[in-house]
Amino acid sequence: MDRTRLATVRSLAQRVLCAVSVWLCLWAPLRSRAQSSVSKTPISSNTAPTPATSARFVFADPYPSPPGPVDEDLLGGLLLETRSEALLWFTLGTIAEERGETDKASDFLRKSLQLDPGNVALASRLASEHVQKQEHAEALRLLKDAAQARPNRPEPFAEIARVYLDALRQPDNALPYAEKAYKMAPARYPVLSVYVETCAAGRLSQRVEDTLKRTLTLSNTDPGFWLSSGDLFRNAFALRSPAPPKSVSERVDSLFAKALELAPRDVRCLEKTADHYAISGRLPEARVLYQRANSLHRELFRSHSAGVCQKLARVAALENDLNGALEVLEDLFQEQPLIPQARELAGSLYLQTGQLVLALGHLKLALEMDPRDLDDALRVLQLQLQLRRPAEAIQTAQYVQKWFPDSPNLTLLLAMALSEAKRPQEAVEAFEKAERQYSGTQKEALDAGFYLSFGAAAERAGLFEKSEQLLKKSIALDPQNAAEALNYLGYMWIEANQRLDEAGELIKRALALRPDHPAYLDSLGWWHYRKGQWKEAEEQLRRALRTMRREEAGEVYDHLGDVLEKFERPDEALAAWDAAAELDPSLVRAREKAARLRTHTPTDSDQ
């Protein structure tokens, strides 16, 4: 409640309390005495009773006001004393509400309405409270009492229709009341809206069209009325199937045109009209109007309109002009850098252009400004993992977990980041926590991909039996798409030089599902090496090199070097190990084998 309203309420309360006090202290006692004296006067049985003359009390008014028109609400109806008492309870209720005494305020306001059921505004307010509590019958009773007390006012009828339409979903029951309100006040937007929405819900398309035509003939100088009416009719016809004819769309456009005629230099008017064209799928017209709105905003306020700029960027993106959309946003950031929604939008657009680093920068800024946005946090984490920045991802996840400690998606991404950062034991613990969290709410998330990642983390932690169980579970959950899990389990056994026959079968099954996959060919070549089949090993490893990008081939070169050494081709083996060390600096063993070969130190082959 603002200060102006508070001052008004206090002044009204003081006046009412003063008037009631005077009435209670002076007028009521004197009137009761006069009535008492009349009742005590003896009446002779022989004479007709003489009417007693009650005393008249005249109070001088030092500042008399000229007679004015009497409020129509005071003509007839309630007695002045009853209305004064109703006003008193209303004022006391308002004061109690100001003090935060909601229960007491509600009691006072109900007493006021009982004394004056024709107080339409109060009846609507209390009815709204009943609707929120699902007490629809009581809400309708209050409103119908108000309608009976004020049959010439459209508001209670419109409110009754609104309860039937929105709360009870009964457009047939709403229609008579909405129609009655509309006949009384067709130019009032709340009345117009409930009537049009009721007709649309009742599939009375012709009535909606007739109402649109009538609305266009009204004389109304408020641009807001025409903007709201335009949204109302557009939404009403959007529910219609088949789509309305072009003439109807043109009439809806005319509503917005009337608003622009009344306020051609109003930013909100331009923006709302542009919204209409954007929603209607007419993007070029919308883009022009958004540009006009932003230019006018800069002219009037010497700054961009953040909301208009974001809408303009979205429209440009929908027109496949991503560069134009990003240019609008970057101009906005030069002036207003701390707008999280705009940063999110820029991040999404940079993602569409494939500029992941720029996308991550904007999304991180948005997250820093609003760390309680879980969706933003998940997108940032996914980008950090995609860009191979596990340390950053761990920091982000641990920071956001302060607000979302029970989010399984967040826990899962943290587990993946820990695994990438070569912190396998912590990763396994995080995977176990994510599994517990998903089991309670989202069991469908515990799919083959989850257990593949979990199994890989367990293998890196040296928990080979656990890893085997998890990988087999992944394969069982989705056998038709289990190539990666099959390869991972097979390669784990090959590296351990155990269960080679089973490992070979798993690798071959993976290749059957995804032929010529370079990682699976590498696994098959390494399996041949472990089996002592060096010729077949070289063949598969060279096939793998032909089908993969060179920058990803470090480990394959390392394996090839080992095979070539078995063939006693040291120069080729040395070149392969050098390539491995260059492409993947983490392959320390490749550098060690190359160094040993250069010094001609005899030693057993690294297996």
Side-chain angles (χ1 to χ4, degrees), residues 29-39 54-55:
L30 290 171
R31 188 175 68 170
S32 63
R33 287 178 191 172
Q35 292 174 345
S36 175
S37 63
V38 169
S39 64
S54 58

Side-chain angles (χ1 to χ4, degrees), residues 204-256:
L204 303 174
S205 302
Q206 190 57 51
R207 282 204 189 190
V208 178
E209 286 191 37
D210 294 341
T211 307
L212 172 58
K213 293 176 184 177
R214 183 180 179 186
T215 302
L216 284 168
T217 65
L218 298 175
S219 297
N220 195 315
T221 57
D222 178 16
F225 171 82
W226 297 109
L227 293 172
S228 298
S229 298
D231 289 337
L232 172 69
F233 282 102
R234 183 193 63 244
N235 295 336
F237 287 116
L239 301 174
R240 177 172 165 177
S241 180
K246 185 178 179 181
S247 59
V248 172
S249 300
E250 290 174 349
R251 290 191 185 100
V252 175
D253 292 346
S254 298
L255 297 171
F256 291 94

Side-chain angles (χ1 to χ4, degrees), residues 111-131:
K111 289 180 180 179
S112 175
L113 190 61
Q114 289 172 1
L115 293 166
D116 183 8
N119 187 337
V120 175
L122 182 55
S124 299
R125 174 180 168 183
L126 294 178
S128 176
E129 293 178 2
H130 283 297
V131 168

Side-chain angles (χ1 to χ4, degrees), residues 195 201 255 261 264 296 314-315 333 371 381 393 450 460 479 488 525 579 596 604:
Y195 179 64
L255 297 171
E261 288 174 9
L296 180 59
R314 291 184 190 278
V315 168
F333 296 145
L381 283 167
F450 176 86
R460 295 188 185 106
Y488 203 105
R596 183 254 308 159
D604 294 335

Side-chain angles (χ1 to χ4, degrees), residues 63 69 91 100 134 146 157 168 200 215 217 261 276 309 361 363 474 502 521 547:
Y63 304 103
T91 306
Q134 303 295 314
F157 295 99
L168 297 175
T215 302
T217 65
E261 288 174 9
H276 164 66
C309 284
L363 291 172
S474 174
E502 290 181 63
L521 290 171
T547 57

Side-chain angles (χ1 to χ4, degrees), residues 21-82:
S21 299
V22 169
W23 187 85
L24 292 173
C25 295
L26 298 177
W27 175 251
L30 290 171
R31 188 175 68 170
S32 63
R33 287 178 191 172
Q35 292 174 345
S36 175
S37 63
V38 169
S39 64
K40 292 178 182 179
T41 303
I43 300 177
S44 172
S45 59
N46 300 323
T47 59
T50 6
T53 306
S54 58
R56 292 185 61 196
F57 298 91
V58 179
F59 297 93
D61 185 355
Y63 304 103
S65 302
V70 181
D71 190 333
E72 64 176 4
D73 285 348
L74 298 178
L75 297 176
L78 295 174
L79 295 174
L80 181 60
E81 295 94 323
T82 306

Side-chain angles (χ1 to χ4, degrees), residues 11 25 37 145 153 191 220 231 245 259 286 289 325 385 399 441 488:
S11 175
C25 295
S37 63
D145 288 347
R153 296 276 295 274
V191 173
N220 195 315
D231 289 337
L289 287 170
L385 289 173
Y399 175 66
T441 57
Y488 203 105

Side-chain angles (χ1 to χ4, degrees), residues 431-450:
F431 273 113
E432 290 172 344
K433 181 180 178 181
E435 185 179 29
R436 290 193 301 271
Q437 290 174 330
Y438 279 127
S439 297
T441 57
Q442 304 175 45
K443 291 184 178 179
E444 66 279 2
L446 297 174
D447 56 9
F450 176 86

